[in-house]
Amino acid sequence: MKKNISLFLMIFISVFTFAQKTVSGKITDDDGVAIPSASVTVEEPGKDAILAYGITNSKGEYKVTFTSPEANVDLKVKAFNQKPVTKQISNADQNLNFKMQSEATEIKEVQLKTKMITARGDTISYDLKAFNSKNDRTLADVMKKIPGIEVNKDGTILYQGNAINKFYVNGKDLMEGGYGTINNSLPKDAVQKVEVLENHQPVKILQDKVPSDQAAINIKLKNSVTMTGRGEVGTGFGDPWLWNVKLTPMFFGQKSQWVVNYKTNNMGEQVENEGNILAFGSGWEGRRINAAQNNWLNVENASTPDLPVKRYLMNNVHYLSANYLTNIDKKKEWELKASANYTNNVVERESYRQTDYFATPTQGASTVIQNVLNNFYTDKAKGELIFTKNAKKGFFKNTTSFSQFWNADRAIADRTSTSLNTTNRHGEQALESPTSSFQNSLSTIIPWKEKMVNVKSFLNYQSDRQTLDVSPSSYLEVPGFKPENNAETVRQNFRLKTFEANHSANIGFSKSGWTFTPEVGFNFKRTSLSSNLGNLQYGTDLLEGEIFNNDLTYTTATPYGSLGVNFKSESWMLFANLPVNSNNIKADDPLRNVSKSTNKVTFEPNIFVQYSFASFWKASLNGNINNNFGEVNSAYAGFLMLSPSSINAMDPNNPIPQNNTKSTGTRIEYRNPLNNLFFNVNYRYSDSKRNLIADPDRNTAGGIISRFIEQDNHAISNVYSAEVGKYFPKFKTNASVGYNNSTSRSDAYLNRGAYTNKNIVQSYSFKLNNTYFSWMSVDYNASISLTKQVSTSLLPEYNNETSRNGFTHNLAVYFYPIENHTIGFNWDQVNSSNGNQKYNNAFYDISYQFSWAKKKIDFELKWMNIANRKTFETYDVNATYNSYTRIQLRPSQVMFTVKFNFK
């Protein structure tokens, strides 16, 4: 570990091998009048490489910091209607003033060429036209090709590898983090440029006081008032008949904005997650979370492949959403935002899996073969109302949301277990899981003389009710549980009620770039769990007894005091939170006459430091300590059938869990919009110490009963990552490469046997898009993964080492043989191997599109999975087993679609 840190620190320190130098001064014209917006660049002599740059302010003043091993560097000054100045200067700190001579700038043609990437202060602007191709239609199509920006599979936008904190359109945050709808449906033709706001603090009253290390995205439209949107209507041939409808009109004005979205399909496109919160803003704005069910009980689930979702998703989805924003005062400081969405979705899934379990100290090697057919039914609705005032003289935000789920899952499973005896079992499983959730978050910042007073309050109440039925009871082969009388059905009833309240108040003092924020607060969470397990015989519940019942209350009360420290200068940024928490945890189990509690004071600092230098570089260090004392899922002592293959319980005599995690990381970032180069290097180390460790029992049928024993144990991880991206204007090519190395080691038990589990995962990625030729464009993405798992036991005969290699790539090529005609070819390849076995999965699509340019309407005919590959095969490894999986895929299908803009 020390070697790893030392190596990375050597790399980190090497950036500062050559002392940084600063050149500053003032630039004027012949008459001594200051010249604003003049560019000042520092370059190495004889090389076309810019080391650093600066722009003069309104007073003509500039300041450029650079690092170079050369004895001399070239300083170049340029300004409109002024003769350029070039001067070779020594590599030293100095003050240089320049007087420029007037020289008319001759414009030979009435033609404006906009730079594809420009920077001013903390804002980097991308001209969208420089990165799109003829086949792109929406903002999301182009965003994936911009250097420095990535778009994850779930729609999350990353800048330099980190998630953004805000997504604005013309400076307004309509979607409040759920920006997937706009990104996927905003026509590219409506967009003028994409702006990255680095170090963005969204709360205006804090912008000069409390720094931020996150970036935001602002979509600047061509018009200040824009009515636009995107629509698609498609039908297709397959089994069953296929459809795809997308209707997303949107309006962006100076006072109000709105988006209405309806999407439905049964052809494998996942649209129901577009409303998920992807950007959470600043903690000063209060607290917002994606409401989700506490899914304790589960039917057995068919496996899903590592493929694009469209290859395997058997769905029938309807998703409707609406978002509205309006200013409610003349100064446009107060905003009202309202949103609502509804999802109805049915998903069918099927897979075959053969699992070879390794021997343990109490169980021999065994094989389990399982076929699972699922139907998942989702019904959920959400409504949200937000009042916001975000001004330089004050801040207020109140968010109220309500979510309701009416979900149900079904499974039909066949299981064959091979050991000394072979058993064949068939079971039908049904889960009902309604959930209600209510949240309210309030945060306000009030200026008081030279200080700021911040009050925050968060309330959350959620009720989860779940019922899992498995029939016949003979399907169950879980250790320690044998249903009596061969009952028709085994039923697990479960109820969870959660109430959470967080309240805090702080006062901020600012002076000379420093802001100190002492805070006091109180966090409270109370969770009530009740459950019973029994047989359902001819419509009558026959409960199994107290050992299978729960009536548990888990309470956490944490008063705390903390000090926030923030500093921001031209080069340095620091923010730290130094809280002292008084943790009071209590678990009451009256059924077993057990009451456990712990009271512990903890210090949990969180510190981040960033240094910006030489115009393009940023270096940062961070570290934190976190303590966790478990939740209700670590304290229940009555057995719970969490799934038909797993029954779990904690020892009632176990203490309250105490998990202490220390982590630290460092990052070097370079972004140069002058030569279109972006890269970042990261390292993170964490060490988690726990007082309880899982000791599951697995039988030869694959059934598991989970226990925890009291024993100190550790989980340690080291993660290295790097990414480099560059745009080559001459070749109209954007390329990036990435590397990630993750090593983790943890203590573990299985069937009373202790072992150490070590995982090493390496991955390489490559991305390329090219629009150099007028008749063709290419998008290519590829990744290679290498996984190695080593289990080391005190008994050498149980030692195990497994490995797995994977390769995936996607190639999309579009040909434009005639104006307004496009022929597309798409190739998805997913390979996996374990050294002895290899599985190669290839998928091909072809398409033809005719564009009615005058009406901006596209007609597309697309043939997907032309090889009609119906199953996906893969091999997986784990510390305790190897498995082969075969998953049902969507068959070949043909779709005809009409695509259009609303304006």
Side-chain angles (χ1 to χ4, degrees):
M1 168 57 207
K2 291 182 179 179
K3 291 182 179 179
N4 291 336
I5 295 178
S6 299
L7 176 62
F8 193 85
L9 288 177
M10 289 175 64
I11 298 172
F12 183 87
I13 293 170
S14 66
V15 176
F16 302 94
T17 300
F18 304 106
Q20 299 172 50
K21 301 298 185 294
T22 300
V23 180
S24 60
K26 187 174 182 179
I27 299 174
T28 60
D29 61 15
D30 287 330
D31 298 324
V33 178
I35 300 177
S37 300
S39 67
V40 182
T41 59
V42 177
E43 304 177 15
E44 290 189 353
K47 298 181 181 179
D48 186 21
I50 297 175
L51 298 175
Y53 75 99
I55 303 293
T56 58
N57 59 21
S58 59
K59 298 178 182 180
E61 298 168 339
Y62 74 93
K63 184 178 181 180
V64 181
T65 302
F66 65 94
T67 302
S68 174
E70 301 294 333
N72 299 298
V73 294
D74 288 341
L75 187 73
K76 297 182 179 180
V77 183
K78 295 181 180 180
F80 187 71
N81 280 337
Q82 305 293 330
K83 186 176 181 179
V85 175
T86 299
K87 183 177 182 179
Q88 189 168 97
I89 64 174
S90 61
N91 187 350
D93 293 330
Q94 52 196 296
N95 186 278
L96 293 173
N97 297 326
F98 292 92
K99 182 173 288 189
M100 304 186 73
Q101 297 178 4
S102 298
E103 180 181 75
T105 303
E106 182 182 356
I107 302 177
K108 297 181 179 179
E109 300 179 23
V110 183
Q111 181 178 2
L112 297 178
K113 291 187 177 181
T114 304
K115 286 186 177 181
M116 59 192 69
I117 305 176
T118 58
R120 182 178 292 273
D122 283 338
T123 300
I124 297 179
S125 300
Y126 299 86
D127 182 9
L128 218 63
K129 293 183 294 184
F131 303 100
N132 68 0
S133 64
K134 293 182 180 180
N135 195 61
D136 294 335
R137 293 294 181 269
T138 66
L139 175 63
D141 293 336
V142 187
M143 287 281 280
K144 299 174 184 178
K145 303 173 182 178
I146 295 177
I149 293 178
E150 297 176 68
V151 182
N152 283 343
K153 292 180 180 179
D154 65 356
T156 305
I157 297 175
L158 307 180
Y159 174 69
Q160 288 284 61
N162 291 328
I164 62 172
N165 64 359
K166 286 288 182 178
F167 183 94
Y168 301 105
V169 178
N170 281 352
K172 291 184 179 293
D173 183 16
L174 166 65
M175 305 306 290
E176 281 287 342
Y179 53 76
T181 299
I182 291 181
N183 197 34
N184 293 332
S185 302
L186 179 63
K188 68 168 187 178
D189 294 337
V191 181
Q192 179 182 352
K193 60 184 176 180
V194 173
E195 296 178 333
V196 174
L197 314 178
E198 296 185 321
N199 301 322
H200 178 64
Q201 170 57 264
V203 180
K204 293 180 180 178
I205 194 174
L206 302 175
Q207 285 178 349
D208 298 326
K209 302 175 179 68
V210 179
S212 168
D213 65 323
Q214 289 184 283
I217 295 287
N218 180 46
I219 307 302
K220 193 168 183 179
L221 304 180
K222 292 179 180 178
N223 301 314
S224 58
V225 178
T226 302
M227 177 69 191
T228 186
R230 186 74 178 160
E232 295 183 17
V233 178
T235 186
F237 306 96
D239 185 19
W241 167 75
L242 304 173
W243 76 83
N244 180 28
V245 177
K246 299 179 183 179
L247 302 172
T248 313
M250 52 186 75
F251 172 80
F252 303 100
Q254 295 181 320
K255 184 179 178 180
S256 64
Q257 297 182 350
W258 55 261
V259 173
V260 176
N261 182 37
Y262 174 65
K263 294 182 178 178
T264 178
N265 74 85
N266 70 339
M267 44 82 72
E269 188 168 350
Q270 195 174 37
V271 298
E272 62 273 16
N273 294 328
E274 279 194 345
N276 285 353
I277 302 173
L278 303 175
F280 294 89
S282 165
W284 294 85
E285 297 180 78
R287 184 178 174 189
R288 296 186 73 230
I289 58 177
N290 282 309
Q293 295 182 287
N294 290 304
N295 292 318
W296 283 55
L297 309 186
N298 297 276
V299 299
E300 292 178 284
N301 287 346
S303 301
T304 57
D306 184 18
L307 283 174
V309 173
K310 64 182 180 180
R311 299 296 183 190
Y312 65 87
L313 183 63
M314 312 287 186
N315 67 330
N316 184 329
V317 63
H318 298 266
Y319 176 70
L320 175 66
S321 68
N323 293 74
Y324 177 71
L325 176 155
T326 185
N327 289 111
I328 55 179
D329 68 324
K330 293 182 179 180
K331 293 183 178 180
K332 297 182 180 180
E333 292 181 343
W334 283 90
E335 289 181 341
L336 167 65
K337 301 174 188 178
S339 65
N341 62 66
Y342 173 72
T343 302
N344 177 273
N345 193 17
V346 180
V347 173
E348 182 178 308
R349 190 174 296 155
E350 184 175 1
S351 72
Y352 164 92
R353 185 175 186 180
Q354 177 178 319
T355 306
D356 298 314
Y357 290 99
F358 306 136
T360 71
T362 60
Q363 292 286 348
S366 63
T367 297
V368 175
I369 298 174
Q370 185 182 36
N371 282 285
V372 178
L373 173 64
N374 288 124
N375 283 286
F376 302 108
Y377 302 93
T378 300
D379 273 293
K380 62 180 180 180
K382 179 183 178 181
E384 190 169 59
L385 194 64
I386 303 175
F387 286 93
T388 305
K389 176 186 178 181
N390 191 4
K392 281 290 186 181
K393 295 184 178 180
F395 176 81
F396 176 90
K397 186 170 187 176
N398 190 86
T399 303
T400 303
S401 64
F402 177 78
S403 301
Q404 179 66 49
F405 298 80
W406 303 272
N407 291 356
D409 299 336
R410 300 290 184 267
I412 298 175
D414 292 290
R415 181 184 288 260
T416 300
S417 306
T418 59
S419 52
L420 293 177
N421 299 309
T422 299
T423 59
N424 298 305
R425 294 176 292 142
H426 173 83
E428 298 185 6
Q429 307 160 23
L431 173 66
E432 306 292 334
S433 53
T435 294
S436 300
S437 173
F438 171 82
Q439 299 174 18
N440 192 85
S441 173
L442 168 68
S443 178
T444 183
I445 303 175
I446 303 170
W448 177 45
K449 297 181 180 179
E450 300 301 321
K451 307 175 184 66
M452 300 178 300
V453 178
N454 175 223
V455 177
K456 290 190 290 187
S457 174
F458 175 76
L459 298 174
N460 176 43
Y461 175 77
Q462 183 161 317
S463 174
D464 296 277
R465 186 188 297 272
Q466 298 171 26
T467 304
L468 174 61
D469 289 344
V470 181
S471 63
S473 61
S474 58
Y475 178 80
L476 299 174
E477 284 194 15
V478 179
F481 176 61
K482 294 291 184 182
E484 298 177 359
N485 304 320
N486 195 26
E488 292 179 325
T489 302
V490 174
R491 170 169 291 180
Q492 175 71 70
N493 292 305
F494 174 86
R495 181 74 184 270
L496 192 71
K497 296 181 180 179
T498 305
F499 174 74
E500 185 176 5
N502 308 129
H503 304 297
S504 67
N506 65 58
I507 185 168
F509 307 82
S510 297
K511 188 174 182 180
S512 302
W514 291 87
T515 299
F516 299 94
T517 312
E519 177 176 302
V520 293
F522 181 73
N523 297 330
F524 177 83
K525 186 174 183 179
R526 180 185 179 91
T527 307
S528 300
L529 184 156
S530 60
S531 71
N532 59 68
L533 178 65
N535 302 321
L536 189 64
Q537 185 75 20
Y538 306 115
T540 304
D541 277 324
L542 304 174
L543 301 183
E544 285 292 314
E546 186 174 293
I547 191 175
F548 296 103
N549 292 349
N550 281 291
D551 183 10
L552 174 68
T553 301
Y554 198 90
T555 306
T556 302
T558 309
Y560 69 90
S562 71
L563 176 65
V565 181
N566 299 274
F567 174 76
K568 186 175 182 180
S569 67
E570 187 174 336
S571 299
W572 288 94
M573 182 169 67
L574 175 149
F575 53 87
N577 190 35
L578 310 172
V580 176
N581 303 323
S582 176
N583 302 280
N584 304 277
I585 299 95
K586 187 176 182 180
D588 290 316
D589 187 350
L591 283 178
R592 292 161 186 83
N593 197 27
V594 172
S595 180
K596 297 181 289 187
S597 64
T598 187
N599 301 282
K600 193 169 183 178
V601 177
T602 58
F603 177 56
E604 303 181 31
N606 181 13
I607 301 173
F608 175 87
V609 182
Q610 179 178 280
Y611 179 56
S612 302
F613 57 100
S615 296
F616 309 116
W617 292 87
K618 291 181 181 180
S620 62
L621 290 167
N622 65 83
N624 66 77
I625 299 174
N626 177 263
N627 289 278
N628 181 276
F629 296 90
E631 296 282 351
V632 67
N633 59 359
S634 61
Y636 66 91
F639 284 102
L640 265 173
M641 185 177 66
L642 301 183
S643 78
S645 62
S646 175
I647 185 167
N648 291 17
M650 296 288 290
D651 187 331
N653 297 316
N654 280 347
I656 297 290
Q658 296 186 26
N659 305 325
N660 176 271
T661 301
K662 300 180 178 69
S663 64
T664 183
T666 184
R667 173 182 174 89
I668 298 174
E669 178 182 329
Y670 177 87
R671 71 279 182 276
N672 187 343
L674 300 179
N675 62 11
N676 312 310
L677 177 63
F678 296 77
F679 75 78
N680 60 83
V681 181
N682 303 270
Y683 169 72
R684 186 150 202 90
Y685 167 81
S686 68
D687 180 4
S688 296
K689 181 182 178 182
R690 303 166 295 196
N691 66 331
L692 297 177
I693 188 169
D695 183 17
D697 276 351
R698 172 183 55 79
N699 64 10
T700 55
I704 295 176
I705 181 169
S706 295
R707 295 185 179 89
F708 285 80
I709 60 177
E710 187 175 3
Q711 177 180 309
D712 288 345
N713 62 99
H714 284 262
I716 297 173
S717 70
N718 290 273
V719 180
Y720 307 83
S721 66
E723 183 181 23
V724 181
K726 181 171 174 58
Y727 183 76
F728 301 89
K730 183 177 181 179
F731 303 101
K732 294 185 178 181
T733 298
N734 181 38
S736 67
V737 294
Y739 172 73
N740 185 281
N741 183 305
S742 174
T743 303
S744 62
R745 182 184 62 80
S746 60
D747 301 318
Y749 271 82
L750 178 64
N751 288 59
R752 305 301 194 272
Y755 65 96
T756 299
N757 188 33
K758 184 177 181 180
N759 296 324
I760 303 172
V761 180
Q762 296 184 72
S763 63
Y764 306 83
S765 62
F766 175 71
K767 181 174 72 172
L768 170 78
N769 61 74
N770 177 278
T771 58
Y772 181 78
F773 301 101
S774 61
W775 52 273
M776 181 183 72
S777 62
V778 178
D779 290 318
Y780 182 73
N781 295 272
S783 65
I784 298 173
S785 63
L786 309 172
T787 302
K788 183 178 181 180
Q789 296 183 327
V790 180
S791 299
T792 306
S793 172
L794 296 176
L795 301 175
E797 59 268 29
Y798 298 122
N799 290 346
N800 181 55
E801 179 176 323
T802 55
S803 62
R804 178 179 183 269
N805 300 330
F807 170 74
T808 65
H809 83 93
N810 170 262
L811 173 66
V813 183
Y814 297 95
F815 300 95
Y816 314 104
I818 308 174
E819 185 71 20
N820 298 324
H821 295 261
T822 303
I823 298 172
F825 172 75
N826 190 81
W827 173 19
D828 288 325
Q829 182 76 41
V830 179
N831 300 344
S832 64
S833 67
N834 68 332
N836 299 321
Q837 296 170 297
K838 295 182 180 180
Y839 301 99
N840 299 327
N841 300 271
F843 303 88
Y844 308 99
D845 307 328
I846 58 174
S847 64
Y848 165 73
Q849 180 173 283
F850 169 71
S851 299
W852 187 2
K854 185 177 181 180
K855 298 293 185 179
K856 293 186 178 181
I857 299 176
D858 299 321
F859 302 91
E860 182 188 64
L861 183 65
K862 189 171 186 178
W863 184 5
M864 293 166 284
N865 192 8
I866 59 179
N868 199 26
R869 180 180 287 273
K870 296 181 179 180
T871 60
F872 173 89
E873 296 180 299
T874 188
Y875 184 86
D876 198 8
V877 297
N878 188 280
T880 58
Y881 63 77
N882 291 337
S883 68
Y884 160 76
T885 305
R886 186 171 64 245
I887 304 168
Q888 182 184 359
L889 301 176
R890 295 191 67 89
S892 182
Q893 57 191 42
V894 177
M895 290 288 296
F896 174 74
T897 306
V898 180
K899 306 177 183 180
F900 55 91
N901 292 347
F902 280 100
K903 188 175 179 181

